[in-house]
Amino acid sequence: MIPSISIRLATESDLQPIIQLDALSNPHSWGEGLVAEALQIRQNWLVELGDATQKSIVGWLTASVVLDQSELELIVIDSSFRRQGLARKLIMVWSDAVVQQGVNELLLEVRESNHGAILLYESMGFELVGRRKNYYQIEKKGQTALGREAACLFTLKIESL
């Protein structure tokens, strides 16, 4: 069971907790430079866990907005809190916020091996519209030859929300 959670906009003062979350829960972490850039130029939301005396960040979503489209650039949920609806809640907050800015299409891409994320996106109405073959590098511990996997491209027209 999840203790008290809240979702709020992220600020640049959240940089270090986001870096830590990303490093611990994202197998393809962005690192400090990309996280700092995201906090400066993209829209960002956090999932916080706890109460007024002690809070911790257990989720982060960053998205860009260009004209009438918004692209989910990255969503990370602490591995201890997955499969509890937090990613879904973050996506809903993102979509609600950008709709109010005039966005009418949501975009995202995901590694073809990320079956849990693909099921989530499809359950929310996102449609697979394409693949980028050999887009992502596959790195596994102990692997000597590196492989590649496809990026699955999804879209959701706002009128279907």
Short mmCIF file of all heavy atoms in Angstrom, two decimals, residues 28 110-118 138 149-150 152:
data_model
loop_
_atom_site.label_atom_id
_atom_site.label_comp_id
_atom_site.label_asym_id
_atom_site.label_seq_id
_atom_site.Cartn_x
_atom_site.Cartn_y
_atom_site.Cartn_z
N HIS A 28 18.54 2.93 -18.24
CA HIS A 28 19.23 3.75 -19.25
C HIS A 28 19.21 5.20 -18.78
O HIS A 28 18.66 6.08 -19.44
CB HIS A 28 18.55 3.59 -20.61
CG HIS A 28 18.35 2.16 -20.99
ND1 HIS A 28 19.38 1.38 -21.48
CD2 HIS A 28 17.28 1.35 -20.90
CE1 HIS A 28 18.93 0.16 -21.69
NE2 HIS A 28 17.66 0.12 -21.35
N VAL A 110 9.00 4.18 -26.99
CA VAL A 110 9.39 3.26 -25.94
C VAL A 110 10.16 2.11 -26.57
O VAL A 110 9.90 1.71 -27.70
CB VAL A 110 8.13 2.77 -25.16
CG1 VAL A 110 7.17 2.03 -26.07
CG2 VAL A 110 8.51 1.91 -23.96
N ARG A 111 11.10 1.58 -25.81
CA ARG A 111 11.83 0.40 -26.28
C ARG A 111 10.86 -0.76 -26.49
O ARG A 111 9.99 -0.98 -25.65
CB ARG A 111 12.89 -0.02 -25.26
CG ARG A 111 14.05 0.92 -25.15
CD ARG A 111 14.96 0.53 -23.97
NE ARG A 111 16.09 1.42 -23.90
CZ ARG A 111 17.25 1.20 -24.52
NH1 ARG A 111 17.44 0.09 -25.20
NH2 ARG A 111 18.22 2.08 -24.42
N GLU A 112 11.04 -1.50 -27.57
CA GLU A 112 10.13 -2.61 -27.84
C GLU A 112 10.19 -3.68 -26.75
O GLU A 112 9.23 -4.45 -26.59
CB GLU A 112 10.41 -3.22 -29.22
CG GLU A 112 11.74 -3.93 -29.33
CD GLU A 112 11.99 -4.51 -30.72
OE1 GLU A 112 11.05 -4.62 -31.52
OE2 GLU A 112 13.15 -4.83 -31.01
N SER A 113 11.25 -3.73 -25.98
CA SER A 113 11.37 -4.73 -24.91
C SER A 113 10.66 -4.30 -23.62
O SER A 113 10.55 -5.10 -22.70
CB SER A 113 12.85 -5.00 -24.61
OG SER A 113 13.47 -3.82 -24.13
N ASN A 114 10.17 -3.06 -23.56
CA ASN A 114 9.52 -2.56 -22.35
C ASN A 114 8.03 -2.88 -22.40
O ASN A 114 7.18 -2.02 -22.58
CB ASN A 114 9.77 -1.06 -22.20
CG ASN A 114 9.39 -0.54 -20.82
OD1 ASN A 114 8.66 -1.19 -20.09
ND2 ASN A 114 9.90 0.63 -20.50
N HIS A 115 7.73 -4.16 -22.22
CA HIS A 115 6.36 -4.65 -22.38
C HIS A 115 5.39 -4.04 -21.38
O HIS A 115 4.24 -3.75 -21.73
CB HIS A 115 6.33 -6.18 -22.27
CG HIS A 115 7.23 -6.85 -23.26
ND1 HIS A 115 6.99 -6.82 -24.62
CD2 HIS A 115 8.39 -7.54 -23.09
CE1 HIS A 115 7.96 -7.47 -25.24
NE2 HIS A 115 8.82 -7.91 -24.35
N GLY A 116 5.82 -3.82 -20.15
CA GLY A 116 4.94 -3.22 -19.14
C GLY A 116 4.51 -1.83 -19.54
O GLY A 116 3.32 -1.48 -19.44
N ALA A 117 5.44 -1.03 -20.02
CA ALA A 117 5.11 0.33 -20.46
C ALA A 117 4.18 0.29 -21.67
O ALA A 117 3.21 1.06 -21.74
CB ALA A 117 6.38 1.12 -20.76
N ILE A 118 4.46 -0.58 -22.60
CA ILE A 118 3.62 -0.68 -23.80
C ILE A 118 2.19 -1.04 -23.42
O ILE A 118 1.23 -0.44 -23.92
CB ILE A 118 4.22 -1.68 -24.81
CG1 ILE A 118 5.50 -1.09 -25.41
CG2 ILE A 118 3.21 -2.04 -25.90
CD1 ILE A 118 6.32 -2.06 -26.24
N ILE A 138 21.29 -1.99 -27.08
CA ILE A 138 21.04 -2.93 -25.98
C ILE A 138 22.37 -3.19 -25.29
O ILE A 138 23.32 -3.63 -25.93
CB ILE A 138 20.46 -4.26 -26.50
CG1 ILE A 138 19.15 -4.03 -27.24
CG2 ILE A 138 20.25 -5.23 -25.34
CD1 ILE A 138 18.64 -5.26 -27.96
N GLU A 149 17.69 -2.54 -30.59
CA GLU A 149 16.27 -2.86 -30.61
C GLU A 149 15.49 -1.67 -31.13
O GLU A 149 15.96 -0.54 -31.14
CB GLU A 149 15.78 -3.28 -29.23
CG GLU A 149 15.73 -2.17 -28.21
CD GLU A 149 15.16 -2.64 -26.86
OE1 GLU A 149 14.05 -3.20 -26.84
OE2 GLU A 149 15.82 -2.40 -25.85
N ALA A 150 14.27 -1.95 -31.53
CA ALA A 150 13.42 -0.92 -32.13
C ALA A 150 12.82 0.00 -31.07
O ALA A 150 12.63 -0.38 -29.91
CB ALA A 150 12.29 -1.57 -32.93
N CYS A 152 9.32 1.88 -30.40
CA CYS A 152 7.91 1.86 -30.80
C CYS A 152 7.35 3.26 -30.60
O CYS A 152 7.47 3.83 -29.52
CB CYS A 152 7.13 0.86 -29.95
SG CYS A 152 7.71 -0.83 -30.13
#
